Amino acid sequence: MADKISAVKGMNDILPPDSARWEWLEDKVRTQMARSAYRMVRTPIVEPTALFVRGTGETTDIVEKEMYSFEDRLNGEQLTLRPENTPGVVRAAIQHNLTYDGGKRLYYMGPMFRHERPQRGRYRQFYQLGAEALGFAGPEVDAELMLLANDVLAGLGLRNVRVEMNSLGVPAERQAHRAALITYFEQHRELLDADAQRRLLTNPLRILDTKNPAMQAMVQDAPQLLNYLGDASRKHLDTVQSLLTACGVQWTINPRLVRGLDYYSHTVFEFITDELGAQGTLCGGGRYDGLFELLGGKPTPAVGWGMGIERVLELIKEQGAELPALVADAYAVLPDAAALPVAMQTLQTLRRAGVQVQMHAGAAEGMGSMKSQLKKADSSGARFALIFGADELAQNLVLVKSLRDGAGAQRTESLADVAAWAATLQSNA
């Protein structure tokens, strides 16, 4: 016997019935995005490596340690499985001149790839939902996107999610803050761990995001970027805050919130839960007005966020939310194979009318007994069994048996008027 081949560690199969939870979430998301006039965008999973090196930042953990990159052996191109999707969306917008006639509101759902140690809510292939607003400079769009993320999470029934935000200002303000940070951290060099030592002159802002308990007190006293913001940046942040407050969304300022990518400016934010341990950030994002130019496009303001689907589903499970089971409305029972032509024709009519129906599949030796078929109908979760018995078919009828009311009530329906009772099956199932 050949050796079994298993999936790559940290890249998981999503199988029924668990996949029903994913479909439910995706349907909810599509509905919410449509209400806010955000339209679907799909970009390739594989992009040029340079897109992420330039767009995400050479000194970020993603580029330095986490990307799945390879050389295309057919033509020598350097390619990467996308670790996130914002650079890909911006690349597509530049390539297709998407904002030539004004701003665009976009969203996506799909797999991303990072070489990390797999753990709860953190996988090597993970799925992300994201929203991007391209070509809008005003703080009201920052607030709109935060409200959209809040609505998505609320629409999924999630509770106890807090909103933290900060401002990274504009490049000149960040440069002044960066210089102050380097000076401060150099004065406390003996407290810096290896990661912080490495980042000191390349990306000192990331030191503020350290999880090292031995560095927390020192980092807490580091210079805050908020103190380096000019009037325009403060006004931008104040407007976002006031709009969220007006819409009933509570928020707090976290001066240590920096996000991990180089392209952010002005507003940055996270939606956080305390119920998933170390993987508590459900959604994060912010404004990235400089990314278009960085990737060869015209100056274009933009803001967006990404949300981890696995973490959201994990929190839904943690909070005990009831999720709909993906089951058929009806299960077709066929005591004799001779009933197949009529049964299959009837089931096709029901399906076209919107009824979800599963047909019993026989084995090589035949269809199986009525008792065994009804047992399978019951275990399928369907509300009704449609029994295509010889006596019923002789009268151009089908027997509809209830499987969920305890009494096993049953009635006959005319095969000549399938559409008339299709609505009954849907409304009762």
Side-chain angles (χ1 to χ4, degrees):
M1 183 180 293
D3 292 338
K4 290 193 297 185
I5 298 175
S6 299
V8 177
K9 185 177 181 180
M11 299 187 181
N12 302 319
D13 299 310
I14 302 167
L15 308 174
D18 196 49
S19 56
R21 302 166 64 232
W22 288 70
E23 292 181 302
W24 169 82
L25 181 147
E26 290 162 1
D27 286 344
K28 291 273 191 179
V29 166
R30 290 187 185 96
T31 298
Q32 191 60 59
M33 291 295 175
R35 287 173 180 167
S36 298
Y38 279 71
R39 306 304 177 207
M40 169 69 79
V41 60
R42 298 180 190 268
T43 60
I45 288 174
V46 177
E47 295 271 13
T49 299
L51 175 68
F52 303 109
V53 173
R54 202 190 311 173
T56 303
E58 292 189 45
T59 60
T60 60
D61 284 350
I62 292 175
V63 171
E64 289 183 335
K65 300 185 291 186
E66 298 171 2
M67 292 201 314
Y68 282 93
S69 298
F70 59 96
E71 180 179 296
D72 186 335
R73 63 184 178 182
L74 296 180
N75 59 17
E77 280 187 282
Q78 299 299 315
L79 303 175
T80 294
L81 296 175
R82 61 187 185 192
E84 50 133 357
N85 208 26
T86 297
V89 171
V90 171
R91 188 268 312 148
I94 295 170
Q95 182 175 338
H96 302 287
N97 200 19
L98 196 60
T99 58
Y100 79 97
D101 60 347
K104 294 291 184 292
R105 291 172 165 88
L106 307 171
Y107 81 97
Y108 58 84
M109 288 187 283
M112 312 295 158
F113 303 84
R114 296 186 191 179
H115 196 282
E116 301 183 282
R117 182 173 63 85
Q119 52 189 296
R120 182 189 188 193
R122 196 181 189 100
Y123 305 105
R124 289 175 175 172
Q125 177 176 313
F126 61 99
Y127 289 78
Q128 200 169 69
L129 153 69
E132 315 284 352
L134 311 179
F136 305 99
E140 69 280 358
V141 181
D142 301 27
E144 174 189 290
L145 269 160
M146 294 177 72
L147 291 168
L148 176 59
N150 189 72
D151 288 345
V152 167
L153 293 171
L156 296 172
L158 293 176
R159 311 178 304 277
N160 305 323
V161 177
R162 69 179 185 275
V163 181
E164 295 184 356
M165 71 166 70
N166 193 18
S167 174
L168 300 185
V170 296
E173 294 159 356
R174 287 199 303 282
Q175 282 299 110
H177 177 242
R178 182 180 186 277
L181 275 182
I182 291 174
T183 299
Y184 175 81
F185 287 134
E186 283 180 333
Q187 293 169 355
H188 299 84
R189 188 182 283 269
E190 73 282 0
L191 298 176
L192 300 181
D193 59 21
D195 264 353
Q197 294 273 5
R198 180 173 54 85
R199 289 169 169 161
L200 179 57
L201 297 179
T202 57
N203 197 355
L205 201 62
R206 294 292 287 118
I207 300 176
L208 298 176
D209 202 27
T210 181
K211 302 299 187 290
N212 186 344
M215 291 175 55
Q216 292 301 315
M218 181 269 294
V219 165
Q220 203 65 30
D221 292 333
Q224 295 185 9
L225 182 50
L226 288 171
N227 296 329
Y228 291 81
L229 298 182
D231 291 342
S233 292
R234 285 193 168 277
K235 183 178 179 182
H236 190 107
L237 180 61
D238 289 345
T239 301
V240 174
Q241 293 170 346
S242 64
L243 290 172
L244 292 177
T245 299
C247 293
V249 174
Q250 296 183 336
W251 50 268
T252 58
I253 287 290
N254 178 359
R256 303 301 172 204
L257 176 57
V258 296
R259 302 292 298 151
L261 307 176
D262 286 357
Y263 51 62
Y264 285 108
S265 61
H266 284 304
T267 314
V268 290
F269 55 86
E270 291 184 348
F271 287 71
I272 302 170
T273 177
D274 294 321
E275 298 178 33
L276 294 179
Q279 307 306 322
T281 300
L282 300 173
C283 173
R287 179 164 284 279
Y288 51 93
D289 289 349
L291 185 56
F292 271 75
E293 288 180 88
L294 204 59
L295 298 180
K298 298 176 181 178
T300 305
V303 58
W305 51 254
M307 183 181 294
I309 293 179
E310 285 94 343
R311 293 187 190 180
V312 169
L313 286 170
E314 188 70 24
L315 184 59
I316 290 172
K317 185 189 297 185
E318 191 76 19
Q319 294 187 348
E322 285 292 326
L323 297 178
L326 190 63
V327 295
D329 299 326
Y331 187 103
V333 173
L334 295 91
D336 192 305
L340 277 168
V342 173
M344 293 187 78
Q345 182 182 5
T346 303
L347 301 190
Q348 286 298 94
T349 302
L350 288 172
R351 288 165 181 152
R352 291 175 188 136
V355 178
Q356 298 179 32
V357 58
Q358 176 180 344
M359 187 182 77
H360 175 74
E365 58 272 15
M367 300 304 295
S369 69
M370 174 83 80
K371 181 178 179 181
S372 68
Q373 289 192 48
L374 284 171
K375 187 175 181 180
K376 288 184 177 180
D378 187 55
S379 63
S380 75
R383 189 73 175 271
F384 298 98
L386 308 180
I387 302 172
F388 292 84
D391 292 343
E392 287 79 21
L393 292 180
Q395 302 175 65
N396 205 30
L397 299 173
V398 64
L399 184 65
V400 180
K401 179 179 175 64
S402 176
L403 298 174
R404 300 286 167 251
D405 66 2
Q410 55 189 44
R411 67 181 190 275
T412 56
E413 296 285 359
S414 170
L415 290 174
D417 196 10
V418 175
W421 49 276
T424 305
L425 293 180
Q426 286 178 289
S427 63
N428 290 329

